[in-house]
Amino acid sequence: MDVILQNSLISLFDDNPDPCYVVDLKGKFTACNEAFFQVTGYAAKELIGASFLPLIASAYVPMSQMIFRKVAFHGHRADFDIGIVRKNGEHADITITAVPVMTRGQITGVIGIAKDMTHRKQLEKALLTTQMHLQNIFESIDVCLWSMDVRSRKLLSISPACQMIYGYSQEDFANDPGLWRQLIHPEDLPRVEEKQASLGDGMKIKHEYRIFRADGSLRWVYDYTVPVMDEYGELLRLDGVITDITERKQTEVRLHDLAYRDALTGLPNRRCVRTQLTDAMERAERCGQMAAVLYLDLDGFKVINDSLGHELGDQLLCAAALRISRSVPENAKVARLGGDEFAIIVENISNLSDAGEVAKRILLRLSEPFLLDGYELIITASIGISGYPIHGHHYEDLIRRADQAMYLSKAKGKNTYQLFTDDLTDKYQERLLLEQGLRKALEHDELEVHYQPIVDAENNRIKGMEALLRWKSNGSFVPPMEFIPIAEEIGLIEAIGQWVLQQACKQTREWIDLGFSDFFISVNVSVKQLEQGHFTAVVMDALEHCGLDPAHLHLEVTETAAMSNVHHTVHILQKLTDLGISISIDDFGTGYSSIGYLEKFPIHTIKIDRSFIKDGKDAIMKAVIAMAGSLQLNVIAEGVESAEDKNKLLGMGCTQMQGYLFSKPGNVVEISALLKQYMTKKGLSQKSP
Ligand code: C2E
Ligand code: MG
Ligand code: MG
């Protein structure tokens, strides 16, 4: 061989960057290049003369022996992958091309050229693992991954999660390219298609919409679609992800409900009213119409809640909410502002009196008794109304003004409605002043008890006295009908009522001591006092304190008060009757009681309301007097102002009367003087004091 070629071959062997080696027919190394030493980690003196076998990883030993024989003894060429063990014990993957070494036509050994594949093998392995990993994800995640060729409208792939989300298999989707679209909720479809149009411009889209599952159930999905364009900017493929977000949506709805709905009644809450009213104002503005807010507060709800328990109170609130909702026009919105307060938004009206009509209907529906848990409850409401745009342009203004108007409805005696007017603000201030004044009335000695005789009109005998409360504020008397409802509302009536009771008992004791003994004292009692847990003790204290026999005491309960909480009233009145106290039903005929109720109450007297005499309702009076007779109840006619009234009543069989004809209510001095005169006339003895 020419020297140049020989040198070239030697340098090709020695300087080859790939590991090269030569073994003899016994498999012992006769030559190795530097790269081979590098890959095995052995030095020349350790390898030359040594067998190749110890280098081979044990799993590859049989294969390497077989290949060696094929090359060394049969002259074949072999390309194979094999694992070796480096000197430091590490594993290396190499690819070898082995050919026989021919010397003068004889095989004298094997020459091998290796390539270190360790790094590539590692990469391949990692790639395979990643691929398997991805495939696993693709197969198992509950997100549906899909890919579609736009031109052929062929589905390239879709992950099995489609079965879980849509209830249709991968094949179903592959076979019917239109299936996906058919499953979208018809209401959402236009919106979905509009969004999809932007895919053609290369825009990614994200949207949420409803679909119908194969089983007919409604699900929410999140759709993220990415367009893939070709080099000309034409839409080539769509890749997408569909996620079932039904649970998230349900949570959102629940959270929204929590934030915007009242948990008890299910009605929108105060926060929601703000939005609803603001929206209503905007609509009214656009249509050139009015919107109104009705602010409704139940009358005396607290008493029912406190006396019959919160559970029944809650039931009553729900039942009232339902009635209110059923008495308003279809497009009106009812909300609970909290406690016993509701707001009603009325739209499409041309003047406030339309809202007044709605209020009337609500009051009417509410006034029918509620049958709850075996109780028959009567509850009324006070309503205030303000309107947009006349009473304000902001939510706060309208609500505040409706609230002020409602306050005035309360002051007017409840169970009514009031439209806001500009002078209401003044009345509101007035009412606040009244409240403040009333709070100090007791300690400032501004209260007085006046008395009005109740007579037997047949013989002009004084049968009793009604104690009537007076409040002298800033030098003038405030009518009881104005301040008593306020005292009830602000929780002062218990203290005031107790004071009246003590004064009346004390005064009666004094008159008895003066020799005027055969009469009763009739004291008005508010329903709030009856609701006090210890009312009978309060009454007994007042009697005992001045040594007054309970037989001298009559307590007057108005018909409406008695009916507001029949069960409780019957119970407490029975206790009072057992103590020897007589009970009168005051203002009879102004409430809703039926004979059935009268029979239930342990009462002795009914006082026919002044309005019957004033309005000449003779037939009703006759009937009431007859009914009282058959129930063996005493009757007193109130507000008798003329001899004509007196005679008429006598003709009907009613003898006991009270009114200006006999005497106006007077203070202690006036009534004491009247009694003195009376006793002298009747020849009653007057004891010396
Ligand atoms: P009432 O218990 O029905 O009292 C009768 C009312 O009719 C009294 O009004 C009395 O002055 C008035 N009156 C009597 N005879 C005539 C008449 O011939 N003509 C006219 N026009 N009126 C007559 P007053 O004193 O203004 O009391 C109004 C209401 O205030 C009472 O009605 C009663 O419900 C309530 N009230 C008065 N004092 C008290 C009290 O101490 N406690 C409670 N809870 N309520 C009271
Ligand atoms: Mg009375
Ligand atoms: Mg009365």
Side-chain angles (χ1 to χ4, degrees):
M1 193 187 294
D2 134 355
V3 178
I4 297 176
L5 178 62
Q6 200 172 1
N7 285 343
S8 301
L9 285 177
I10 289 170
S11 104
L12 185 65
F13 184 86
D14 284 344
D15 303 333
N16 201 316
D18 289 327
C20 302
Y21 64 88
V22 181
V23 288
D24 61 17
L25 292 177
K26 288 185 182 139
K28 290 186 174 156
F29 289 108
T30 53
C32 301
N33 72 353
E34 189 51 37
F36 195 79
F37 296 133
Q38 289 282 327
V39 76
T40 59
Y42 289 102
K45 62 176 190 289
E46 290 168 303
L47 282 184
I48 305 300
S51 165
F52 73 84
L53 276 176
L55 262 184
I56 309 298
S58 55
Y60 293 92
V61 169
M63 180 189 102
S64 66
Q65 284 173 322
M66 192 189 74
I67 292 171
F68 177 72
R69 276 195 297 274
K70 266 167 90 178
V71 182
F73 304 118
H74 301 286
H76 293 294
R77 169 200 157 112
D79 296 288
F80 58 98
D81 295 336
I82 203 163
I84 62 162
V85 182
R86 295 178 204 265
K87 187 180 176 188
N88 64 8
E90 277 176 11
H91 182 95
D93 289 302
I94 53 178
T95 289
I96 297 177
T97 300
V99 290
V101 180
M102 306 295 287
T103 314
R104 286 183 288 276
Q106 286 286 312
I107 301 173
T108 55
V110 173
I111 182 163
I113 303 169
K115 256 198 188 314
D116 186 352
M117 304 299 285
T118 313
H119 189 58
R120 216 177 91 188
K121 283 269 180 193
Q122 276 168 352
L123 279 181
E124 269 174 15
K125 225 172 171 173
L127 201 66
L128 199 70
T129 316
T130 312
Q131 238 173 21
M132 274 165 55
H133 205 66
L134 284 176
Q135 188 64 25
N136 261 344
I137 293 175
F138 185 78
E139 299 286 336
S140 62
I141 53 163
D142 48 11
V143 166
C144 175
L145 306 166
W146 59 273
S147 189
M148 193 188 86
D149 182 84
V150 175
R151 283 166 203 167
S152 64
R153 288 189 33 86
K154 249 187 85 172
L155 197 62
L156 301 172
S157 69
I158 185 163
S159 67
C162 61
Q163 180 76 49
M164 190 200 72
I165 300 175
Y166 290 92
Y168 288 96
S169 67
Q170 290 163 290
E171 291 72 42
D172 293 333
F173 279 100
N175 295 338
D176 181 358
L179 176 62
W180 168 85
R181 190 179 170 281
Q182 287 161 27
L183 301 177
I184 298 173
H185 193 294
E187 278 175 19
D188 296 350
L189 189 59
R191 185 166 53 83
V192 172
E193 291 191 324
E194 191 186 325
K195 268 261 182 191
Q196 281 186 318
S198 50
L199 287 168
D201 304 330
M203 292 200 344
K204 297 173 185 167
I205 56 167
K206 295 172 186 175
H207 50 163
E208 296 174 355
Y209 50 87
R210 290 163 296 171
I211 55 137
F212 284 107
R213 260 188 120 246
D215 61 10
S217 62
L218 194 72
R219 316 287 299 170
W220 271 96
V221 293
Y222 169 77
D223 178 333
Y224 178 45
T225 306
V226 181
V228 180
M229 319 302 273
D230 65 11
E231 63 266 43
Y232 309 107
E234 291 292 317
L235 188 57
L236 191 67
R237 203 180 74 223
L238 292 175
D239 293 335
V241 181
I242 302 270
T243 318
D244 187 331
I245 53 162
T246 312
E247 258 175 52
R248 196 195 85 200
K249 279 281 171 187
Q250 283 165 348
T251 312
E252 274 174 21
V253 170
R254 271 200 296 276
L255 284 178
H256 184 273
D257 275 3
L258 273 183
Y260 290 98
R261 282 206 177 264
D262 165 49
L264 177 68
T265 59
L267 289 176
N269 62 12
R270 185 181 279 274
R271 192 179 288 141
C272 191
V273 173
R274 175 182 286 272
T275 324
Q276 288 182 337
L277 185 56
T278 312
D279 291 350
M281 288 191 283
E282 276 171 22
R283 279 191 292 272
E285 180 70 43
R286 277 200 304 275
C287 312
Q289 284 200 309
M290 274 186 83
V293 196
L294 279 67
Y295 200 113
L296 182 152
D297 186 293
L298 296 177
D299 301 325
F301 173 75
K302 195 177 169 297
V303 176
I304 295 183
N305 205 33
D306 291 350
S307 57
L308 296 181
H310 291 208
E311 217 168 279
L312 201 78
D314 283 354
Q315 281 184 38
L316 181 60
L317 281 176
C318 290
L322 194 68
R323 278 208 199 159
I324 296 169
S325 303
R326 287 186 176 162
S327 26
V328 301
E330 219 177 305
N331 68 342
K333 294 187 178 67
V334 180
R336 180 173 173 222
L337 297 172
D340 58 353
E341 292 184 348
F342 295 85
I344 300 105
I345 300 171
V346 185
E347 293 187 60
N348 297 336
I349 50 171
S350 41
N351 55 58
L352 268 196
S353 58
D354 293 347
E357 289 304 315
V358 176
K360 261 191 219 162
R361 261 203 312 280
I362 296 175
L363 292 176
L364 192 71
R365 293 281 306 254
L366 278 182
S367 66
E368 292 156 27
F370 286 91
L371 275 172
L372 293 173
D373 229 10
Y375 293 96
E376 193 169 321
L377 302 172
I378 291 194
I379 190 129
T380 56
S382 299
I383 300 176
I385 303 173
S386 68
Y388 171 87
I390 49 170
H391 297 140
H393 287 80
H394 298 287
Y395 164 83
E396 278 82 9
D397 294 339
L398 288 181
I399 287 282
R400 194 184 62 247
R401 294 190 156 156
D403 185 16
Q404 288 176 353
M406 183 279 289
Y407 211 42
L408 260 293
S409 292
K410 292 257 183 218
K412 275 185 154 184
K414 306 177 180 170
N415 195 17
T416 185
Y417 72 92
Q418 169 85 46
L419 304 181
F420 179 84
T421 54
D422 284 330
D423 69 333
L424 259 192
T425 323
D426 301 337
K427 287 192 196 159
Y428 188 74
Q429 305 275 354
E430 247 172 58
R431 153 109 193 192
L432 284 181
L433 284 174
L434 216 60
E435 257 189 51
Q436 281 165 0
L438 195 54
R439 285 184 200 279
K440 298 202 179 88
L442 253 182
E443 56 187 88
H444 288 184
D445 260 347
E446 292 172 353
L447 298 179
E448 274 176 40
V449 181
H450 284 201
Y451 298 89
Q452 186 182 29
I454 296 165
V455 300
D456 184 333
E458 275 185 320
N459 50 26
N460 281 341
R461 271 186 181 272
I462 296 181
K463 304 289 288 182
M465 289 283 178
E466 178 170 6
L468 292 162
L469 179 60
R470 297 290 177 259
W471 174 27
K472 202 169 196 174
S473 168
N474 299 323
S476 58
F477 282 111
V478 183
M481 291 317 282
E482 262 178 44
F483 73 83
I484 283 173
I486 300 177
E488 285 179 338
E489 230 169 85
I490 63 179
L492 276 180
I493 197 67
E494 288 88 347
I496 293 179
Q498 182 173 6
W499 180 83
V500 172
L501 200 62
Q502 287 164 350
Q503 294 298 306
C505 289
K506 203 170 106 215
Q507 189 56 53
T508 307
R509 175 81 254 172
E510 277 179 28
W511 283 329
I512 290 173
D513 290 345
L514 284 173
F516 177 59
S517 55
D518 188 19
F519 82 110
F520 62 85
I521 179 81
S522 203
V523 179
N524 292 288
V525 169
S526 149
V527 68
K528 301 267 168 149
Q529 289 172 272
L530 293 183
E531 306 289 356
Q532 272 180 299
H534 56 291
F535 183 63
T536 43
V538 169
V539 177
M540 285 318 284
D541 266 7
L543 288 168
E544 276 164 18
H545 192 73
C546 48
L548 194 65
D549 186 336
H552 279 287
L553 183 62
H554 284 203
L555 293 178
E556 295 189 14
V557 181
T558 63
E559 187 192 7
T560 330
M563 297 303 296
S564 73
N565 186 350
V566 175
H567 185 79
H568 181 78
T569 312
V570 168
H571 175 73
I572 183 99
L573 294 186
Q574 189 60 57
K575 268 168 82 178
L576 292 163
T577 313
D578 293 346
L579 292 170
I581 296 159
S582 298
I583 307 294
S584 306
I585 294 288
D586 202 357
D587 303 344
F588 188 79
T590 55
Y592 304 93
S593 36
S594 62
I595 301 180
Y597 277 118
L598 277 185
E599 265 183 328
K600 267 191 199 169
F601 288 121
I603 54 172
H604 308 85
T605 305
I606 53 178
K607 298 183 80 176
I608 304 178
D609 192 64
R610 188 166 69 85
S611 59
F612 288 92
I613 294 157
K614 203 174 84 195
D615 302 342
K617 298 217 167 120
D618 296 5
I620 300 181
M621 280 195 297
K622 260 189 213 159
V624 171
I625 294 163
M627 178 197 71
S630 66
L631 291 172
Q632 289 172 328
L633 297 174
N634 211 17
V635 183
I636 299 173
E638 293 183 308
V640 180
E641 292 184 353
S642 65
E644 195 191 332
D645 289 340
K646 173 181 126 178
N647 293 332
K648 193 169 18 179
L649 284 159
L650 282 174
M652 291 177 187
C654 172
T655 55
Q656 290 195 32
M657 300 179 201
Q658 179 183 353
Y660 294 171
L661 177 66
F662 308 100
S663 166
K664 285 198 169 183
N667 63 24
V668 175
V669 178
E670 290 161 347
I671 296 298
S672 294
L674 182 130
L675 280 180
K676 214 166 164 186
Q677 237 181 19
Y678 172 78
M679 285 190 291
T680 320
K681 234 194 316 198
K682 295 276 169 202
L684 295 172
S685 66
Q686 190 187 345
K687 286 184 193 167
S688 47

